[in-house]
Amino acid sequence: MGLDQYGLRKKGTENAEQIAYWRKHNALHGWMENLWIAKGRPFVGTKQKGNEKSNFNSIPIELTEDDLIQLGIDTKNYHLPKTKGFFFGTDSSEDPNRLKEVLDFVEAGLESIREGYEIAYYAWW
């Protein structure tokens, strides 16, 4: 078990196509979770110490061109959040190989948007 993450693209009624895959890239997941909350997605997790804890396990989030550009900026500036979770592995927020994988996804996602695809992030654990 562990955190499995996918970058997907889809055009029209086609099946989604995987354009990126990460395993236990918890910093990327934390960034996506923050985006999910910022977009006003509902909290579906449990209360912990009086605070709502979000959990978008197995719920895809659509990424716009602006989202991908911001992800690229935050990645280049080491602004992916340190994120802990059961099955999430060790901190990946400053791992240069993991960050390059994100930048490759940003590039592929932006190109796909220009080609008419929708882009999404999906994770499950």
Side-chain angles (χ1 to χ4, degrees), residues 9-21:
R9 73 179 191 172
K10 181 180 179 196
K11 188 185 285 187
T13 58
E14 295 177 1
N15 289 331
E17 174 186 359
Q18 180 180 314
I19 60 172
Y21 172 77

Side-chain angles (χ1 to χ4, degrees), residues 6 16 33 39 46 54 76 88 94 117:
Y6 304 87
E33 183 174 44
K39 288 186 175 201
T46 58
S54 66
K76 288 176 185 175
F88 280 23
E94 295 185 18
Y117 288 90

Side-chain angles (χ1 to χ4, degrees), residues 10-100:
K10 181 180 179 196
K11 188 185 285 187
T13 58
E14 295 177 1
N15 289 331
E17 174 186 359
Q18 180 180 314
I19 60 172
Y21 172 77
W22 304 271
R23 175 99 172 130
K24 297 185 179 184
H25 192 342
N26 48 53
L28 173 63
H29 188 72
W31 191 94
M32 294 292 181
E33 183 174 44
N34 289 341
L35 177 65
W36 184 71
I37 293 167
K39 288 186 175 201
R41 301 305 190 253
F43 289 98
V44 294
T46 58
K47 284 196 171 211
Q48 291 187 346
K49 299 182 183 177
N51 295 319
E52 289 288 339
K53 177 176 173 31
S54 66
N55 176 350
F56 70 115
N57 186 13
S58 300
I59 302 172
I61 179 171
E62 185 176 349
L63 302 173
T64 65
E65 184 175 6
D66 289 341
D67 296 334
L68 289 169
I69 289 169
Q70 188 62 55
L71 175 58
I73 291 167
D74 288 347
T75 300
K76 288 176 185 175
N77 291 313
Y78 297 94
H79 289 152
L80 298 184
K82 293 182 185 219
T83 305
K84 293 182 180 181
F86 199 62
F87 301 121
F88 280 23
T90 59
D91 177 44
S92 64
S93 65
E94 295 185 18
D95 180 324
N97 293 325
R98 308 307 297 279
L99 299 179
K100 183 184 179 318

